[in-house]
Amino acid sequence: MTNKDCNIILPPSLYKYREPDIGKLEYILIQNELWSAKPSTFNDPFDCLPHVDLAGTYEEAKSFIDRRIARLDISLTRAKRRQLARQIEKEGLGSLDPAEGQGAWRQAIDQFGIISFSEDCTNILMWSHYAKNHTGVCLEFGTELAPTNLVAPVLYQENRPTFRPLDPDRTNLAERLLLKKASIWSYEREWRHIRIAEGNGRTSFPPSVLKTIILGAAATDSFEADVRKLLARRSSRIPIRRVRFDAKEFRLHIE
């Protein structure tokens, strides 16, 4: 998925919060790889899981049947196709194919991979949730090269998106359904790189894309020492910065 067709203006940097796990940080800092995750592993149970509406019109049902039999390379008489279309119109697609629905959708999208980033490196909740109570790190990535230049922003909204299998319009379907989250998550200011054909697993990035390592305000000295040992193995130098808690306000500062 690209953002070039949507005229999206990328922020100069995107950030990824990580727990203080040296083993997992090693494949990022040394092997220059990020994890492209299955949607079913996300902490939001509604993430990438739209309401699946199995209803449709007679014409939509007939078109769906025609597409299905063409893909499966089977033959049905015109009378049988009309009969099935009328059944779907009256009772919904589930009456014809019980495999359709939420389970089928989840199984399908778990073949995809998603890498998540945030615009914000000083969000208190993000440090708490994704960097183990401010003891981990936040990694700064530039957006000039792939995969961070192939991202799109998440849209936060009140209404859950709907997927209609009978809808013939498949334009930007992944973006319409995989870039929508409940508005309560808007503080994350998330951007996503969606890998449809490539799937999930480790994803390489150019070493120059990683710009800065930001240590959490509660990161231990021993963890910082381990991070510095990892960085010493890199061919290019990366600066280390640290968060500090504001003395008077509910704010974080980057030193």
Side-chain angles (χ1 to χ4, degrees):
M1 191 189 81
T2 71
N3 52 53
K4 296 179 180 178
D5 298 332
C6 332
N7 297 318
I8 294 173
I9 299 176
L10 291 174
S13 294
L14 290 171
Y15 301 91
K16 193 161 189 65
Y17 294 82
R18 302 299 299 170
E19 295 186 353
D21 186 323
I22 289 298
K24 292 181 179 179
L25 282 174
E26 183 173 6
Y27 75 77
I28 300 176
L29 302 180
I30 304 303
Q31 300 180 40
N32 302 303
E33 293 177 330
L34 290 170
W35 185 257
S36 177
K38 293 181 179 181
S40 62
T41 64
F42 293 166
N43 57 358
D44 175 8
F46 292 102
D47 200 343
C48 299
L49 190 64
H51 163 61
V52 178
D53 182 0
L54 300 179
T57 66
Y58 173 81
E59 290 300 325
E60 288 176 332
K62 192 157 67 72
S63 177
F64 176 85
I65 292 170
D66 289 342
R67 295 194 307 271
R68 178 66 63 89
I69 64 177
R71 186 168 72 248
L72 298 178
D73 194 23
I74 59 177
S75 61
L76 289 177
T77 64
R78 180 176 298 182
K80 181 62 175 177
R81 281 181 283 175
R82 289 175 176 172
Q83 176 191 348
L84 293 175
R86 285 192 293 268
Q87 179 182 341
I88 293 173
E89 179 188 24
K90 181 179 179 181
E91 304 176 23
L93 183 58
S95 66
L96 178 65
D97 188 352
E100 294 287 350
Q102 296 282 13
W105 169 263
R106 175 62 80 190
Q107 184 177 11
I109 65 168
D110 261 357
Q111 307 305 310
F112 301 167
I114 296 178
I115 306 176
S116 297
F117 302 91
S118 174
E119 287 186 46
D120 191 358
C121 62
T122 58
N123 186 282
I124 296 173
L125 286 176
M126 294 289 281
W127 276 103
S128 299
H129 295 165
Y130 300 110
K132 201 173 182 180
N133 302 328
H134 300 252
T135 62
V137 298
C138 185
L139 309 174
E140 179 187 9
F141 293 88
T143 57
E144 66 275 10
L145 297 171
T148 49
N149 69 342
L150 301 176
V151 295
V154 170
L155 175 64
Y156 301 96
Q157 59 187 36
E158 293 297 326
N159 297 323
R160 187 174 175 185
T162 296
F163 170 58
R164 297 182 61 246
L166 293 177
D167 186 353
D169 181 13
R170 292 294 190 265
T171 306
N172 298 323
L173 184 62
E175 290 86 340
R176 282 190 277 146
L177 300 175
L178 304 184
L179 291 171
K180 304 287 180 63
K181 292 186 69 171
S183 56
I184 58 172
W185 296 95
S186 61
Y187 69 90
E188 292 188 341
R189 298 170 65 185
E190 185 180 352
W191 290 68
R192 288 181 168 177
H193 173 52
I194 301 176
R195 298 171 60 82
I196 297 177
E198 304 89 342
N200 46 68
R202 293 189 177 184
T203 304
S204 298
F205 63 87
S208 62
V209 170
L210 183 57
K211 303 295 185 183
T212 310
I213 310 294
I214 305 171
L215 292 166
T220 64
D221 292 341
S222 61
F223 175 62
E224 179 179 353
D226 288 339
V227 171
R228 291 185 180 277
K229 288 178 183 177
L230 282 181
L231 294 179
R233 294 164 53 189
R234 287 181 61 91
S235 57
S236 58
R237 181 180 177 84
I238 299 178
I240 294 181
R241 304 176 72 185
R242 182 181 276 272
V243 175
R244 67 175 177 85
F245 299 126
D246 188 277
K248 296 182 179 180
E249 301 178 356
F250 296 126
R251 296 178 59 192
L252 302 177
H253 302 283
I254 306 293
E255 294 181 338

